[in-house]
Amino acid sequence: MENKQNDYIHNTLKRVWGCIIAILIMTFINTGILLSNPSLYSNNEKPEGDINIDYDTSAFKETTANELVNNTKDEISVVFIGSASCGWCLEFAPVLTEATEQYNLNTLYLDISKINDQETVDMLLQLETVSGLENFMQENFGATPMILIMEDGKILDADTGYKDITTFSSYLEEQGFEK
C-alpha cells in the first residue's frame, strides 16, 4: 500500500515538473521572439500599408460637449467622438470624411481628449436617448471612435469602433441617410 502511494506521489511530481519545464521552455522561446521582433509589442512604429496617419477632421464641425445639444437641433447630425491619440480614430477619420461628402452629412467632431472635468462627463452620460439606448453612454463612454446619430439633442442611434467605408455606408443607409 505504501509503495502504491509513493509511486503515485512520484508520478504526480514527475508530471508537475514536466509541466513546469514545458512552461519555462515556452516562456524562453516567446521572450526570444519578442526581443528579436520589437514590432510585436511596440506601438511606436508606423503601420504598414496605405494607412492615412494624418488625423484630418477639417471636414467636420468641431463642437464641445456643452454645445452638442444645440448643434444637433436643426437637423439630424452624425457626431464623431474621437481623438488624435486613438489609432482606430486615425483610420476612421478618412472613412467618415468620405461618407460626409457622399451623404452630405452634418458631421460634428468632439475631441474626447479635451474633456477634462467631471461635470462635462456627467452631461454626456445623461444625454437623452431613444428607447434601447438608455445605457449606451454609460457602458461605452471613452470607447473611440464613437458615432452618435443625434437630432434635437437626442441620441437616435450610436455605435463604437472602426468601420470601413462599405460597412459604414450600410450603417448610414440603415439609419435613413441617402446619397
Side-chain angles (χ1 to χ4, degrees):
M1 177 81 169
E2 192 173 307
N3 279 342
K4 284 185 179 182
Q5 285 180 341
N6 285 340
D7 287 343
Y8 175 76
I9 292 171
H10 179 72
N11 287 335
T12 302
L13 287 175
K14 280 182 11 182
R15 280 188 234 127
V16 168
W17 278 110
C19 289
I20 290 171
I21 290 171
I23 290 170
L24 286 173
I25 289 171
M26 288 187 290
T27 301
F28 286 123
I29 290 171
N30 286 334
T31 302
I33 291 170
L34 286 174
L35 290 175
S36 66
N37 191 356
S39 67
L40 292 175
Y41 61 88
S42 173
N43 290 343
N44 296 329
E45 294 189 22
K46 183 177 177 181
E48 294 179 21
D50 188 22
I51 298 174
N52 184 359
I53 300 302
D54 295 329
Y55 190 61
D56 182 11
T57 59
S58 62
F60 323 131
K61 178 183 176 190
E62 188 157 358
T63 189
T64 65
N66 294 328
E67 298 169 335
L68 193 56
V69 172
N70 286 335
N71 286 339
T72 61
K73 286 206 182 245
D74 296 334
E75 62 183 307
I76 294 180
S77 301
V78 175
V79 180
F80 170 39
I81 301 176
S83 79
S85 63
C86 163
W88 291 114
C89 298
L90 290 172
E91 291 190 46
F92 184 63
V95 170
L96 185 55
T97 298
E98 184 177 338
T100 296
E101 293 167 1
Q102 287 180 357
Y103 291 88
N104 195 28
L105 301 174
N106 178 40
T107 306
L108 305 174
Y109 172 64
L110 177 62
D111 187 343
I112 197 166
S113 67
K114 293 181 180 178
I115 299 172
N116 54 12
D117 64 282
Q118 189 61 44
E119 184 179 322
T120 304
V121 170
D122 290 342
M123 192 260 329
L124 287 169
L125 293 176
Q126 295 170 8
L127 285 171
E128 186 179 355
T129 63
V130 296
S131 179
L133 291 175
E134 294 88 357
N135 297 318
F136 180 84
M137 290 300 284
Q138 289 83 1
E139 293 171 357
N140 294 285
F141 186 77
T144 57
M146 179 183 287
I147 291 293
L148 306 176
I149 308 295
M150 295 184 69
E151 183 176 31
D152 295 325
K154 185 177 189 176
I155 300 173
L156 305 177
D157 200 71
D159 204 0
T160 60
Y162 169 82
K163 290 165 189 43
D164 60 34
I165 189 63
T166 304
T167 305
F168 190 62
S169 293
S170 295
Y171 171 76
L172 290 172
E173 290 168 11
E174 288 172 9
Q175 303 309 312
F177 291 97
E178 297 177 354
K179 288 185 180 183

